[in-house]
Amino acid sequence: MEPGRGTFHKTTLESITLQQKTFHTTTLAGNKRFHAEAASSIQQPASSKRPIQFRKASAITKEQPELAASAIIAVDSEAASHTSEYSQRRTVQATPTSFVDRSLLLSFPRYGLPGSLVSNLKALGISEIYPWQKQCLLGPGLLNGSKNLVYTAPTGGGKSLVADILMLKRVLEDSNAKALLVLPYVALVQEKVRWLRNIVQDIKRHPLANEKPEKEENSLWQKRADEDSIRVVGFFGGGKVRATWSDFDIGVCTFEKANTLINAAIDDCTISKLRAVVLDELHMVDDDHRGYLMELIATKLMSLENGVQIIGMSATLQNMDLLSHWLGAHIYSTFYRPIPIEEYLVHEGKIYPASSSSGLLKAASQLASNSRPVPVRIVQPSPHKEFKDTVLNSVVALATETARSGYGALVFCNSHGCEFDARLISRALRNNEHLDPAIIEKRLDLLADLRSLSTGLDTCLAETIMFGVAFHHAGLTTEERDLIANAYDSGVLKVLTATCSLAAGINLPARRVILHNARMGRDLVGPSMLRQMRGRAGRKGKDEVGETYLCCRKDDLEDVVELMRAELPQISSGLTTDRQRIQRALLEVIAIRLANSRDSIGDYIGKTLLSLSSTPDVIKAHIDSSLRGLTEMGFIQCDDSELYTATQLGKAIVTSSLEPEDGAFVHREMQRALRAFVMDGEMHILYMFTPVQDFSVTINWQVFRSEMEGLDDSGLRVMTFLGLKPTQVNKMAQGGNLKETTPEEKEIARIYNRFYLALQLRDLCNETPIHVVSRKYDTPRGTVQTLAQTCQGFAAGMIKFCEQMNWGAMAAVLDHFTDRLNAGAKSDLLALAKITFIKSRTARVFYENGFKTVAAIANADPKELVPVLIQAQPSKVRLKSKDEQKYEEKLLAKAKVIADSANRLWQIEMQQQVYEE
């Protein structure tokens, strides 16, 4: 048995020590690499054992020399490393004991779960629950739905399962019941939809006894095949057809879509079917950008008093008593984690232990006061000039140590440092002679998958993936991020450098989490984000322990001490910040007729979180000013009886899910367009459905000027009608400043920003690939893709806005261009663009090669489509024979999917023709 804590687990250090007793600090055995040798090594031919990467023909250049990560030397090998505050090793009530507790089994009768659900969960690896989950579920009134719940548990502690069980119980107990699961990010929505569909697979809901005879007797229609099943549907972005309760049983939504669904259900009186709403990441409720919508959702549901069970959860909740009072909820809190975490502070190459956040604070405080705490390990200085920075040297050493021991590491850094860190770490991991050939094969597959995307293969990923390293940030497209995340989760990639948004965005735990710096950009990370990043350490079923390393610069030490001392922020309402979200709250309840008098409005506000975090006088002042502002903008009106009603414009703004301020701006722009709409070109139409939300866009005025000079007469007339001046654009391109002091100046600046985005959308609608638009406008391709996706949702909102305002012609024009934006193509390719994988330039290449109809592709042999797909790739590649075969296999698989999709569409077309005849 290994000494020390080996009884419970082996740390990363111990694991690698068993494999090799020393770490080489030089690239040539027994010799230091001098700069002259480093230079000469560039000229050396590549080792025959090194796997060949896919390379652009234009990108075959001399590789950067291999680097050696610094050794990490143990100071005191016998030093005990205690587990953190999250560990189950602490003596807490939730600690598992030796006897068998039958109430931990999901089949325990008191939970009332059907056998099919228990079997599905068991197939997914969940046969029993943790003691804390049992205690939480057995709280008063939770299993029968009569009580709301607010609870907190560490990241990775199993908090989602509690909400899933309660939500599924509500849906299963009534065949007409609906539930909503509300999440902040699209990636989380997509992940949760996949998970829930696996859970509810083959589960049948049985109608109530008094419902069945009535349905059988009065039904005139054939029973729908999926009527008894549980339909899980994800809602995000926009759509032409308004979703109704009949479309789903469990809706997994973003904040915006959940709020829209609930508004529509209240307005058409179908809200009574809703039985449960789960609010994930509840700590975001005080975010006045998006999270405040959770406050609106919960307040509207409590005002209706329809018996909807509200379940709120988060890993970072501070003042739970306030939330419990607001929601009338039972509260539960736990520190339990199935995988213990060991925490360390890294300063000037020295690694100091911390058994908890308090221990980490103690270590940081001692360093800041020039005390001499004893480090447990020391990162040796590096001879390489690239690693002269001690923080960077420590990050690379820790990451490579983890990867070489066979575990995964997450390195959190700012967006500019992700690619830089990934490159350096990969250069320190190039010696992969002992790597499993199956892993090499899978990395080649990953490169082929990335290359087959419409954006092509990123140059940094081309350099790093073969060595098990990649980066992950918003600059990548959704498809790239998904491929990289899946490869990391399956162990194909060992090190992932990422921005802090990954900690909140998707569930990717790691054996070791390394924070490159306490700062992400110029600002320190907040206490909540720090906890979320540290909480990603430890994979259940894969790791015995998780490790977090906070690397701290000397100048930031005092700030780190303050950060460690900082409590989690107190939750408060986000309705009365500078953004004045209370205006939207009042406009919505008046438009959906939930409140129409000062008394009923006061009752509604009395159920908000705001009523518990502000004084009555302050709240009354906000209500008065908001109602006055909404009246002045023409969104509501008050009659002689002092009853408020929404105007046609107010209803249009609520229907299209706009903020009141944005709605007023859109209305002004629409009125201007109705007076003079340029129909002999597409720029005016594209401008009208360019999103008005703040994208924090930075205009490249030289690019703006270049694009302006290329506009035809139609485009220049659009600029004139919008009040944009070519002279101003020229002035800005020469280094001028755009004033934004007065409201008028701010509005014209907003129009310039929106027109600049419209230029990008114009290129996307005209078959310019995302990566080309990205280079042209000096914008990350992920940002361009986000713009296109946001535009689809905004365009759907604009169509609803026009329909509500009775502007049918404008709605029809926008509807047509929505199809073009979805396809990324001109009108003649819209039919082809309905086929899976056929978008933008790919559709044009198929068209030019004779595949001009869906039927032509449906009747083609998939092998005939492979040369067309190769021609459609964004860049030509130079491959070796084995790599070329693998690449063609990927494309053949893609061609088969295309042919199958075309066949389905062709059959639908044939059926429609038969019906018409």
Side-chain angles (χ1 to χ4, degrees):
M1 183 177 292
E2 297 296 323
R5 61 187 181 282
T7 303
F8 295 109
H9 60 261
K10 294 191 291 291
T11 65
T12 306
L13 174 63
E14 292 169 346
S15 299
I16 197 167
T17 302
L18 293 175
Q19 298 176 26
Q20 60 180 65
K21 293 299 182 182
T22 61
F23 298 96
H24 296 294
T25 58
T26 57
T27 52
L28 302 176
N31 294 283
K32 279 192 175 181
R33 174 193 287 273
F34 295 99
H35 293 298
E37 292 176 348
S40 65
S41 69
I42 302 177
Q43 309 298 332
Q44 298 294 329
S47 170
S48 60
K49 294 183 180 181
R50 180 177 298 169
I52 303 300
Q53 301 182 53
F54 293 108
R55 303 297 302 276
K56 291 183 181 178
S58 61
I60 297 188
T61 57
K62 298 177 182 178
E63 290 187 353
Q64 294 290 329
E66 182 179 348
L67 299 173
S70 295
I72 306 178
I73 305 223
V75 175
D76 182 5
S77 59
E78 298 298 326
S81 179
H82 302 287
T83 50
S84 76
E85 62 187 288
Y86 298 119
S87 170
Q88 80 270 32
R89 309 260 195 271
R90 294 184 64 191
T91 307
V92 294
Q93 194 172 0
T95 303
T97 54
S98 58
F99 71 89
V100 176
D101 185 352
R102 296 186 59 82
S103 63
L104 297 181
L105 299 175
L106 287 169
S107 57
F108 189 63
R110 189 168 175 185
Y111 301 135
L113 301 180
S116 53
L117 176 58
V118 174
S119 299
N120 286 349
L121 287 168
K122 187 174 182 179
L124 294 170
I126 304 174
S127 57
E128 58 183 44
I129 58 179
Y130 299 132
W132 82 261
Q133 292 171 323
K134 178 195 76 171
Q135 293 173 356
C136 184
L137 286 170
L138 296 179
L142 297 183
L143 288 174
N144 63 18
S146 62
K147 187 80 171 178
N148 296 333
L149 171 66
V150 173
Y151 66 105
T152 179
T155 301
K159 62 180 179 296
S160 296
L161 182 61
V162 172
D164 291 345
I165 289 174
L166 294 177
M167 177 177 65
L168 287 168
K169 280 188 66 64
R170 301 289 80 75
V171 172
L172 288 169
E173 67 190 12
D174 182 351
S175 61
N176 292 319
K178 311 293 179 182
L180 292 179
L181 172 55
V182 185
L183 295 159
Y185 306 113
V186 172
L188 289 176
V189 170
Q190 294 169 329
E191 181 184 8
K192 196 66 180 183
V193 166
R194 291 190 292 267
W195 169 255
L196 287 174
R197 283 177 178 171
N198 288 329
I199 289 179
V200 303
Q201 185 177 6
D202 299 328
I203 295 179
K204 299 296 182 182
R205 294 198 299 180
H206 301 289
L208 299 177
N210 57 352
E211 287 181 339
K212 191 170 182 179
E214 182 181 351
K215 281 191 175 182
E216 289 179 350
E217 182 180 348
N218 298 331
S219 177
L220 300 176
W221 303 98
Q222 183 178 0
K223 181 180 177 181
R224 198 180 66 235
D226 63 348
E227 184 173 352
D228 295 333
S229 63
I230 300 176
R231 293 161 298 160
V232 180
V233 179
F235 295 99
F236 51 88
K240 295 180 183 179
V241 181
R242 194 188 78 171
T244 63
W245 293 128
S246 60
D247 299 321
F248 67 93
D249 299 305
I250 298 177
V252 188
C253 321
T254 56
F255 295 153
E256 294 80 5
K257 293 301 293 185
N259 189 54
T260 301
L261 279 169
I262 288 173
N263 283 342
I266 293 174
D267 196 32
D268 59 22
C269 301
T270 58
I271 193 66
S272 59
K273 296 181 180 180
L274 187 62
R275 287 287 179 267
V277 172
V278 177
L279 302 175
D280 202 354
E281 306 297 345
L282 187 58
H283 65 276
M284 294 179 66
V285 72
D286 63 354
D287 168 35
D288 66 355
H289 179 56
R290 297 178 63 233
Y292 76 96
L293 291 172
M294 285 194 286
E295 183 174 356
L296 303 191
I297 290 169
T299 304
K300 281 179 281 198
L301 294 176
M302 289 189 293
S303 298
L304 289 170
E305 299 180 353
N306 275 353
V308 179
Q309 185 176 31
I310 301 174
I311 304 157
M313 59 178 169
S314 173
T316 55
L317 281 179
Q318 184 67 6
N319 47 337
M320 294 181 62
D321 291 339
L322 178 68
L323 295 174
S324 171
H325 187 192
W326 171 44
L327 296 174
H330 173 68
I331 59 175
Y332 189 89
S333 177
T334 181
F335 291 112
Y336 176 82
R337 268 187 62 101
I339 304 299
I341 296 181
E342 296 180 350
E343 298 180 288
Y344 300 91
L345 177 67
V346 184
H347 179 260
E348 296 292 302
K350 296 179 177 63
I351 302 174
Y352 300 94
S355 61
S356 64
S357 294
S358 58
L360 195 58
L361 171 60
K362 181 180 178 182
S365 300
Q366 288 177 341
L367 286 169
S369 62
N370 293 322
S371 298
R372 296 295 179 186
V374 179
V376 290
R377 301 169 70 200
I378 296 177
V379 181
Q380 295 290 87
S382 173
H384 301 297
K385 62 180 181 180
E386 290 89 346
F387 297 150
K388 291 303 179 185
D389 178 54
T390 57
V391 171
L392 179 59
N393 185 42
S394 300
V395 168
V396 174
L398 289 166
T400 54
E401 180 186 62
T402 314
R404 291 192 189 283
S405 63
Y407 296 109
L410 273 178
V411 180
F412 287 111
C413 45
N414 59 48
S415 57
H416 300 295
C418 282
E419 298 177 39
F420 181 76
D421 283 9
R423 280 191 166 102
L424 287 179
I425 294 170
S426 69
R427 288 172 63 185
L429 284 171
R430 287 188 182 175
N431 183 12
N432 54 10
E433 295 179 355
H434 305 293
L435 197 62
D436 185 352
I439 293 293
I440 296 177
E441 194 74 12
K442 290 178 180 178
R443 290 176 184 174
L444 286 169
D445 286 341
L446 175 59
L447 283 171
D449 288 336
L450 289 167
R451 187 177 295 285
S452 67
L453 298 176
S454 60
T455 53
L457 178 60
D458 179 85
T459 54
C460 178
L461 293 175
E463 295 176 24
T464 63
I465 281 179
M466 284 310 301
F467 308 109
V469 184
F471 66 91
H472 187 292
H473 59 55
L476 295 174
T477 62
T478 302
E479 296 79 10
E480 289 173 318
R481 293 198 297 268
D482 288 345
L483 285 171
I484 289 169
N486 291 335
Y488 174 79
D489 197 40
S490 62
V492 175
L493 298 175
K494 293 299 183 185
V495 181
L496 195 61
T497 63
T499 54
C500 57
S501 59
L502 177 70
I506 54 177
N507 181 26
L508 281 182
R511 171 62 173 259
R512 180 176 284 177
V513 169
I514 305 164
L515 278 67
H516 186 131
N517 198 347
R519 295 183 185 274
M520 295 298 160
R522 295 183 179 180
D523 301 324
L524 283 172
V525 297
S528 297
M529 184 56 69
L530 179 64
R531 180 172 291 193
Q532 285 194 337
M533 288 190 288
R534 288 157 55 194
R536 289 295 172 203
R539 297 181 185 215
K540 186 186 176 188
K542 297 183 180 180
D543 298 326
E544 302 91 353
V545 66
E547 302 168 358
T548 66
Y549 291 79
L550 173 56
C551 299
C552 173
R553 297 190 180 280
K554 188 174 183 179
D555 296 340
D556 290 335
L557 193 55
E558 292 184 4
D559 292 329
V560 168
V561 172
E562 292 299 320
L563 174 63
M564 301 310 302
R565 284 178 177 157
E567 295 287 341
L568 289 174
Q570 297 287 313
I571 301 296
S572 61
S573 174
L575 297 184
T576 56
T577 61
D578 293 340
R579 295 178 185 265
Q580 287 297 306
R581 299 308 193 190
I582 191 173
Q583 280 195 344
R584 176 169 182 171
L586 296 180
L587 177 59
E588 284 188 353
V589 296
I590 292 172
I592 62 178
R593 296 165 293 176
L594 193 58
N596 61 356
S597 66
R598 289 301 296 262
D599 289 341
S600 57
I601 289 173
D603 291 341
Y604 169 78
I605 294 297
K607 290 182 172 63
T608 62
L609 182 60
L610 175 64
S611 66
L612 301 176
S613 52
S614 295
T615 62
D617 292 341
V618 172
I619 294 174
K620 184 178 183 302
H622 280 295
I623 293 175
D624 291 341
S625 63
S626 297
L627 290 174
R628 186 165 54 251
L630 292 171
T631 304
E632 291 171 354
M633 287 187 286
F635 299 161
I636 62 173
Q637 56 191 13
C638 184
D639 60 18
D640 296 336
S641 303
E642 296 187 353
L643 296 178
Y644 291 94
T645 55
T647 62
Q648 186 180 28
L649 175 57
K651 292 178 181 177
I653 289 172
V654 172
T655 302
S656 54
S657 303
L658 289 171
E659 296 289 342
E661 183 183 351
D662 290 340
F665 175 75
V666 165
H667 186 237
R668 291 192 295 271
E669 295 283 272
M670 285 286 190
Q671 285 183 315
R672 189 193 342 239
L674 291 172
R675 289 194 297 268
F677 199 82
V678 180
M679 294 294 290
D680 59 342
E682 58 188 20
M683 273 309 302
H684 208 167
I685 302 169
L686 288 166
Y687 175 82
M688 293 315 300
F689 69 47
T690 301
V692 297
Q693 291 91 341
D694 181 17
F695 272 83
S696 300
V697 59
T698 301
I699 297 177
N700 185 322
W701 290 100
Q702 285 78 19
V703 174
F704 199 142
R705 179 175 61 184
S706 175
E707 294 303 301
M708 179 188 68
E709 291 171 350
L711 291 174
D712 56 14
D713 291 341
S714 171
L716 292 173
R717 285 203 310 276
V718 174
M719 288 189 66
T720 302
F721 288 142
L722 294 175
L724 307 182
K725 301 177 181 178
T727 54
Q728 181 67 41
V729 175
N730 288 325
K731 178 182 176 182
M732 296 300 300
Q734 295 169 4
N737 292 319
L738 191 63
K739 295 181 180 179
E740 296 186 48
T741 52
T742 67
E744 293 76 14
E745 289 172 344
K746 290 180 180 178
E747 176 138 335
I748 197 67
R750 192 176 191 182
I751 295 173
Y752 275 110
N753 287 338
R754 196 180 182 201
F755 192 82
Y756 185 70
L757 295 176
L759 291 171
Q760 298 179 34
L761 293 176
R762 175 204 59 183
D763 291 347
L764 291 172
C765 282
N766 285 285
E767 301 165 22
T768 305
I770 286 176
H771 68 284
V772 176
V773 176
S774 170
R775 286 199 302 267
K776 180 178 180 181
Y777 293 91
D778 192 24
T779 303
R781 56 188 179 278
T783 304
V784 176
Q785 186 187 54
T786 300
L787 169 64
Q789 293 170 343
T790 305
C791 181
Q792 294 171 20
F794 182 78
M798 286 300 91
I799 293 170
K800 295 173 184 175
F801 185 95
C802 292
E803 290 172 346
Q804 185 70 44
M805 296 296 293
N806 296 323
W807 298 338
M810 179 72 76
V813 171
L814 293 177
D815 194 16
H816 169 73
F817 267 82
T818 302
D819 292 334
R820 283 193 54 189
L821 181 64
N822 292 339
K826 296 180 180 177
S827 300
D828 58 338
L829 299 180
L830 292 181
L832 286 183
K834 294 179 181 178
I835 302 173
T836 304
F837 293 138
I838 304 294
K839 295 287 186 292
S840 189
R841 181 176 178 272
T842 305
R844 180 60 63 190
V845 172
F846 270 84
Y847 191 88
E848 291 175 349
N849 278 273
F851 297 99
K852 298 185 176 183
T853 64
V854 173
I857 296 178
N859 290 307
D861 188 308
K863 293 181 180 178
E864 298 177 29
L865 305 180
V866 172
V868 183
L869 288 173
I870 293 176
Q871 185 181 342
Q873 293 306 299
S875 58
K876 301 299 176 279
V877 294
R878 181 180 297 175
L879 305 170
K880 296 247 176 172
S881 57
K882 181 181 177 182
D883 299 334
E884 183 177 3
Q885 180 182 357
K886 182 179 293 292
Y887 185 52
E888 289 186 355
E889 288 174 357
K890 292 284 183 183
L891 292 181
L892 180 59
K894 193 173 184 178
K896 290 178 180 178
V897 174
I898 290 172
D900 290 342
S901 176
N903 264 300
R904 288 193 296 270
L905 291 172
W906 187 41
Q907 290 174 7
I908 293 172
E909 288 181 4
M910 297 287 288
Q911 290 173 357
Q912 288 176 343
Q913 290 177 7
V914 170
Y915 292 149
E916 290 173 359
E917 292 174 359

